[in-house]
């Protein structure tokens, strides 16, 4: 198994490390940024490249893990190869790759990666898709070496999954950021909230989030809600408070019906 | 130390269990609901009561852990006692108790409790306040037996802390609920998101949530944002998506300034 990684960001870094750890050979790492290519390639025993014309044409697998915004331009500059091309993005249909290459697919690990944070890859769901049966088989094998949770998924469903992930990750994190900003205005430490954040995230291992909900919005306690909104100095925060409270209340009523 | 617990809900249950475990004597448990009073009292070796006229008048500490909406009516029906009265609510000023009793204060554990979920009380921040110096000393001692994190805080600052907790807990949980609803519409399992939710919550142990933010909203990628909003069928969800994305983008720009 000879692999070329296109990209050297968070996802490219964690994914290629895990593949390397599992004995797959990463031959090349491409990045537009020379330092990034070199840093990652060094740790994988791979060749760093910054020019797409230098991409090996005889690899088994090409993993596109670049930013969505430059993916198409990278595809356009690719050499002709016979191996399988996969992208790693939540919201891009597999058909985009088909315009440039016959054997193509998707390998989408559902996690928020950081270059420097180790993650337990074995519990991360990896969603795969391929245009040809034998490529799907190969993707199953590769992903199965990385995680216990390999799921075949269409591009249409993957788009929805990505949307859900934006709520569960980016938007939940923004709620932490809003909380941090309220505390900082009072000279209070964000650290006070860490056990609460841990518990809220832990609860959904056992309960559906609708059943785990507590707080003033559930009962639509207008006196608390109104006072809270008045305490917020930023208009966006006020809007978020109002609309999220309304939505929590509606969802809890729907549940009780 | 003789303690009377007014309330038998989530907070009352977890707090009284922890006090009991630390050797404090819970003499009585009051609840309007007989079953609740009996269930909790039995596990604490306490006397269940449903009538406030039966409250012992010689306890050292009375803990009001009832719903905000009935707190005042409970206070009105209380016997005259000499011990310290504390409430456990985030958004209620200590002054409310002062109208009914001279020795009063607050003991606010910042956590989302469930009757049946054990929590590690030692890491939970407990915020205390008292009207008299000797009562504050007593609260420090009691709280110090329960947790390593005892913090003195005014009612005004506690209100803001409670507001921040609503964002970090109730609103973050609602983002999970929104994600669950998107997945369920596609017949996808919420379980796929659990490692992502865990990682998002874990990250803020090391990073400020503004620095931990990722996703389409940071760069205000309008093509993804627009497509995501179109995929949402519920108007509240669309409004949440739009306003939270705008707010994430603004916050990230502010950070870069």
């Amino acid at each position: 198994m000879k692999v070329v990684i296109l990209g050297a960001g968070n996802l490219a870094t964690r994914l290629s490390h895990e593949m390397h750890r599992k004995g797959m050979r990463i031959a090349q790492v491409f990045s537009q940024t020379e330092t990034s290519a070199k840093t990652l390639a060094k740790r994988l025993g791979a060749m760093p490249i910054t020019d797409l014309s230098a991409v090996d044409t005889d690899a088994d697998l090409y993993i596109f893990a670049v930013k969505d915004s430059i993916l198409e331009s990278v595809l356009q500059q690719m050499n002709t190869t016979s191996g399988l091309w996969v992208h790693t993005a939540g919201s891009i249909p597999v058909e985009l790759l088909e315009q440039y290459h016959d054997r193509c697919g998707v390998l989408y690990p559902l996690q928020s990666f950081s270059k420097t944070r180790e993650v337990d890859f074995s519990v991360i769901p990896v969603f795969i898709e391929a245009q040809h049966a034998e490529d799907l088989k190969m993707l199953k094998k590769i992903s199965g070496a990385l995680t216990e949770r390999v799921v075949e998924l269409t591009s249409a469903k993957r788009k929805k999954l990505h949307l859900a992930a934006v709520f569960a990750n980016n938007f939940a994190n923004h709620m932490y950021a809003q909380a941090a900003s309220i505390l900082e205005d009072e000279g209070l430490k964000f650290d006070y909230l860490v056990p609460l954040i841990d518990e809220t995230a832990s609860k959904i291992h056992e309960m559906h989030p609708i059943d785990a909900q507590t707080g003033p919005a559930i009962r639509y306690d207008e006196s608390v809600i109104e006072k809270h909104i008045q305490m917020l100095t930023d208009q966006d925060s006020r809007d978020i408070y109002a609309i999220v409270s309304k939505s929590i209340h509606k969802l809890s009523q729907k549940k009780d019906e």
Side-chain angles (χ1 to χ4, degrees), chain A:
Chain A
M1 174 67 55
K2 181 176 171 180
V3 182
V4 172
I5 299 273
L6 295 300
N10 298 337
L11 192 158
T13 301
R14 299 310 330 164
L15 179 61
S16 61
H17 269 89
E18 195 62 21
M19 296 179 83
H20 179 65
R21 219 168 65 85
K22 290 288 159 63
M24 300 174 217
R25 179 158 75 91
I26 316 291
Q28 294 180 314
V29 173
F30 163 80
S31 170
Q32 291 177 322
T33 315
E34 199 177 342
T35 328
S36 305
K38 279 188 173 166
T39 306
L40 180 55
K42 197 177 171 190
R43 292 165 67 185
L44 301 169
M47 164 95 71
I49 58 173
T50 55
D51 181 352
L52 286 162
S53 68
V55 162
D56 279 354
T57 55
D58 66 344
D60 303 289
L61 181 65
Y62 297 81
I63 300 178
F64 295 85
V66 297
K67 282 202 186 88
D68 292 6
S69 54
I70 69 157
L71 175 60
E72 190 133 20
S73 112
V74 170
L75 290 168
Q76 284 162 354
Q77 296 171 65
M78 277 289 287
N79 291 329
T80 303
T81 79
S82 63
L84 174 62
W85 293 13
V86 295
H87 78 66
T88 52
S91 57
I92 294 169
V94 67
E95 284 77 16
L96 179 75
L97 268 59
E98 222 180 4
Q99 298 171 34
Y100 300 93
H101 188 60
D102 173 50
R103 293 180 59 198
C104 52
V106 179
L107 190 159
Y108 173 53
L110 183 58
Q111 187 48 285
S112 171
F113 295 101
S114 311
K115 278 189 194 182
T116 51
R117 267 179 76 87
E118 292 273 349
V119 282
D120 176 4
F121 224 97
S122 69
V123 298
I124 298 175
V126 170
F127 298 88
I128 58 169
E129 187 178 9
Q131 301 292 68
H132 301 291
E134 64 270 42
D135 290 338
L136 191 64
K137 212 170 138 186
M138 175 171 155
L139 279 183
K140 268 187 193 162
K141 204 176 151 189
I142 293 167
S143 311
L146 306 174
T147 173
E148 292 155 21
R149 305 181 73 182
V150 181
V151 185
E152 234 182 288
L153 203 73
T154 63
S155 289
K157 281 190 189 283
R158 181 163 31 79
K159 263 196 320 196
K160 297 288 178 71
L161 182 65
H162 179 243
L163 172 61
V166 165
F167 276 92
N169 168 20
N170 306 145
F171 289 4
N173 185 72
H174 189 57
M175 299 304 125
Y176 307 158
Q178 289 282 325
S181 148
I182 293 163
L183 292 183
E184 282 154 13
D185 285 350
E186 295 294 314
L188 295 170
K189 289 186 286 185
F190 177 68
D191 197 40
Y192 292 146
L193 290 175
V194 171
L196 180 65
I197 286 171
D198 282 347
E199 174 67 7
T200 305
S202 293
K203 266 191 191 174
I204 53 92
H205 285 248
E206 298 173 12
M207 286 182 210
H208 192 285
I210 293 183
D211 299 321
Q213 192 57 275
T214 59
I218 274 272
R219 49 186 189 276
Y220 216 71
D221 182 336
E222 291 194 42
S223 79
V224 173
I225 291 173
E226 204 34 65
K227 276 182 209 153
H228 275 175
I229 292 176
Q230 281 168 13
M231 276 192 264
L232 292 163
T233 48
D234 172 70
Q235 189 56 47
D236 281 349
S237 308
R238 290 176 164 215
D239 293 346
I240 290 173
Y241 193 103
I243 178 77
V244 174
S245 292
K246 195 181 82 174
S247 179
I248 290 175
H249 182 60
K250 272 209 215 161
L251 214 57
S252 83
Q253 284 191 309
K254 218 169 128 188
K255 182 191 119 188
D256 294 340
E257 267 166 19

